[in-house]
Amino acid sequence: MVIKYPNGKSYSPQKKTLEKVKNKDYTYSNRGKTLEDEINESNEYYLQQGRAVIHKKPVPIQVVKVEYPSRSAAVIKEAYYRTASTTDFNGVWQGVHIDFEAKETQNKTSFPLKNIHAHQIDHMMKVIEQKGVTFLIVRFSSINRYFLYPFQPLKIAWDLMIRNGRKSIPLEEFEKQGFEITPSAFPRIDYLKTVTKMLAQESV
Amino acid sequence: MVIKYPNGKSYSPQKKTLEKVKNKDYTYSNRGKTLEDEINESNEYYLQQGRAVIHKKPVPIQVVKVEYPSRSAAVIKEAYYRTASTTDFNGVWQGVHIDFEAKETQNKTSFPLKNIHAHQIDHMMKVIEQKGVTFLIVRFSSINRYFLYPFQPLKIAWDLMIRNGRKSIPLEEFEKQGFEITPSAFPRIDYLKTVTKMLAQESV
């Protein structure tokens, strides 16, 4: 669903989010669901417009037992979620390899680093080494603000945490070192526009 | 497992493949499994050597029913395999976005195009438009030969098939328009070396 702004006011998806939360048994694994939908829609838009080919990777699942009922599709009867070893989204945008993770938090003042896994940081570092572009998209759901956060400050915050430092990134850091994404109509989360900004600043 | 060549002779993995086939209920969905393992090992090698960050995407699975036994991990009790909408492997290699599909066939003289899906061709075309590098890796298992096949001739063969043309690509076409991958020790399937050859020829 794409939202228009006939009155120029900011759209607040908070109510929908809370409804979803209530109905959907808001467990840890479900966190970030709504942001994921928004990014999937943006990616679909980019694809249709020929701007980029970026997809969410399927959730890794370890299949243990499969049954083959005659004349119908195989049915998985026992399986388990595995931890992703990479980021959730990747693809190509005008010759640039794009690779990112998207997370949302209900926190109003900081982003808890427990939302990120060590092997994801490791993966992102390797992507940088291969001259890919990697970053984090964070949605502060309670205050309805989105940020693209470059890998470099994320890595610094991560390394500090490892050495018993702060376990979260304050909102002010997002305002200072990140790039705010203002939701728009088409696509809702135009993060590639924000990546352009980020790359322009890096090359200064 | 990595195979060495002390006597310079070609290694034939055929016996192992047949054993796997027998033990593993060699259904359609299992086809390509051994080639997949080989490519996963090569990707692991590239990763360790800092040469590239390329991964297989998880198989897309539609989860229908999940149970949450107390004190243990969530168990998926009903789920179905979905058709992949993209290719199996992607990643970044020294600034280049890499995106490919890997298939093996028991055929000795041609590669049946039914191994590829229409939406995969569509995806590969979009990757090319975004200046990514995309191709097919085919293993002719019975004769133990591997080829990297560029997207352009694959697309031509595909379009011919659509217009009631030939439903497979002859081995001679692979020899003529493809790039043979000679298995080596580390990594076994050094397909990035072959990609370098392909790109060098394209730029001539």
Side-chain angles (χ1 to χ4, degrees), chain B:
Chain B
M1 200 182 63
V2 179
I3 316 295
K4 288 187 182 175
Y5 300 87
N7 58 2
K9 279 194 190 162
S10 165
Y11 162 67
S12 166
Q14 203 171 346
K15 196 181 160 203
K16 188 187 159 207
T17 309
L18 289 175
E19 271 170 24
K20 262 203 168 170
V21 169
K22 267 186 219 154
N23 298 338
K24 290 197 95 177
D25 182 25
Y26 192 60
T27 56
Y28 184 78
S29 66
N30 243 339
R31 230 180 252 179
K33 182 72 175 172
T34 308
L35 174 62
E36 187 182 307
D37 289 347
E38 287 179 316
I39 292 178
N40 283 339
E41 282 170 25
S42 298
N43 287 341
E44 187 56 41
Y45 178 86
Y46 289 145
L47 197 65
Q48 282 171 13
Q49 298 286 312
R51 273 182 65 188
V53 182
I54 299 168
H55 290 280
K56 184 180 180 298
K57 290 186 196 169
V59 177
I61 288 172
Q62 181 71 46
V63 175
V64 175
K65 199 171 129 198
V66 186
E67 285 178 8
Y68 300 92
S70 56
R71 285 167 213 268
S72 45
V75 189
I76 296 163
K77 300 298 272 185
E78 187 187 348
Y80 299 89
Y81 290 105
R82 286 185 305 168
T83 310
S85 58
T86 64
T87 46
D88 266 0
F89 296 89
N90 82 354
V92 59
W93 166 57
Q94 296 165 28
V96 178
H97 178 82
I98 297 287
D99 191 300
F100 66 98
E101 187 66 25
K103 293 286 177 193
E104 64 185 303
T105 178
Q106 294 295 325
N107 277 30
K108 286 186 179 69
T109 54
S110 70
F111 172 73
L113 282 166
K114 67 175 179 193
N115 285 304
I116 309 285
H117 301 292
H119 45 251
Q120 290 180 320
I121 296 288
D122 189 44
H123 169 75
M124 293 168 97
M125 205 152 65
K126 284 172 176 155
V127 167
I128 295 265
E129 281 165 15
Q130 291 299 324
K131 298 178 196 142
V133 170
T134 186
F135 49 87
L136 181 66
I137 294 180
V138 171
R139 172 177 165 174
F140 288 89
S141 299
S142 312
I143 55 172
N144 195 30
R145 290 180 70 182
Y146 300 75
F147 290 91
L148 185 150
Y149 204 61
F151 178 68
Q152 287 76 5
L154 172 64
K155 180 69 168 56
I156 290 167
W158 183 267
D159 289 346
L160 276 174
M161 181 193 69
I162 299 285
R163 285 181 249 119
N164 290 313
R166 198 180 162 131
K167 285 180 172 34
S168 64
I169 303 175
L171 177 62
E172 301 87 65
E173 284 301 308
F174 281 88
E175 291 172 332
K176 232 164 63 184
Q177 312 216 56
F179 297 82
E180 186 150 11
I181 305 170
T182 313
S184 59
F186 302 102
R188 174 137 175 81
I189 306 297
D190 194 357
Y191 65 87
L192 287 177
K193 198 170 129 189
T194 316
V195 171
T196 306
K197 263 189 226 169
M198 178 182 80
L199 295 178
Q201 188 162 313
E202 272 177 11
S203 65
V204 168

Side-chain angles (χ1 to χ4, degrees), chain A:
Chain A
M1 200 181 64
V2 179
I3 315 297
K4 288 189 184 176
Y5 302 85
N7 59 1
K9 279 193 189 163
S10 165
Y11 163 66
S12 166
Q14 202 170 346
K15 195 181 163 203
K16 188 187 158 207
T17 309
L18 289 174
E19 270 170 25
K20 262 202 168 170
V21 169
K22 267 186 218 154
N23 298 340
K24 291 196 96 178
D25 182 24
Y26 191 60
T27 56
Y28 184 78
S29 66
N30 243 340
R31 232 179 252 179
K33 181 73 174 170
T34 309
L35 174 62
E36 186 183 306
D37 290 345
E38 287 179 316
I39 292 178
N40 283 339
E41 283 170 22
S42 298
N43 287 341
E44 187 56 42
Y45 177 86
Y46 289 146
L47 196 66
Q48 281 172 13
Q49 298 285 314
R51 273 182 66 188
V53 182
I54 298 168
H55 289 279
K56 184 181 181 298
K57 291 186 197 170
V59 177
I61 288 171
Q62 180 71 47
V63 175
V64 175
K65 200 171 128 199
V66 185
E67 285 178 8
Y68 300 92
S70 57
R71 286 166 213 266
S72 44
V75 188
I76 297 164
K77 299 298 274 185
E78 187 186 349
Y80 299 89
Y81 291 106
R82 286 186 302 168
T83 310
S85 58
T86 63
T87 45
D88 267 0
F89 296 89
N90 82 355
V92 59
W93 166 57
Q94 296 166 28
V96 179
H97 178 83
I98 297 287
D99 191 300
F100 65 99
E101 187 66 25
K103 294 287 180 194
E104 63 185 302
T105 178
Q106 294 294 326
N107 277 29
K108 285 186 180 68
T109 55
S110 71
F111 172 73
L113 282 165
K114 67 174 179 195
N115 285 303
I116 309 286
H117 301 291
H119 45 250
Q120 290 181 319
I121 296 288
D122 189 46
H123 168 76
M124 291 169 98
M125 207 152 64
K126 285 172 177 155
V127 167
I128 295 265
E129 281 166 15
Q130 292 299 323
K131 299 177 196 142
V133 170
T134 186
F135 49 85
L136 180 67
I137 294 179
V138 170
R139 172 178 166 172
F140 288 89
S141 299
S142 311
I143 55 172
N144 194 32
R145 290 179 71 181
Y146 301 75
F147 290 91
L148 185 150
Y149 205 59
F151 179 69
Q152 287 75 5
L154 173 63
K155 181 69 169 54
I156 290 168
W158 183 267
D159 289 346
L160 276 174
M161 181 193 69
I162 300 285
R163 287 181 248 121
N164 290 312
R166 195 178 166 134
K167 287 182 172 33
S168 63
I169 303 175
L171 178 62
E172 301 85 65
E173 284 302 308
F174 281 88
E175 291 173 331
K176 232 164 63 186
Q177 312 216 57
F179 297 82
E180 186 151 8
I181 306 170
T182 313
S184 59
F186 301 103
R188 173 134 175 82
I189 306 297
D190 194 357
Y191 65 87
L192 287 177
K193 197 168 131 191
T194 315
V195 170
T196 306
K197 263 189 227 171
M198 179 183 80
L199 295 178
Q201 188 161 316
E202 272 177 12
S203 65
V204 169

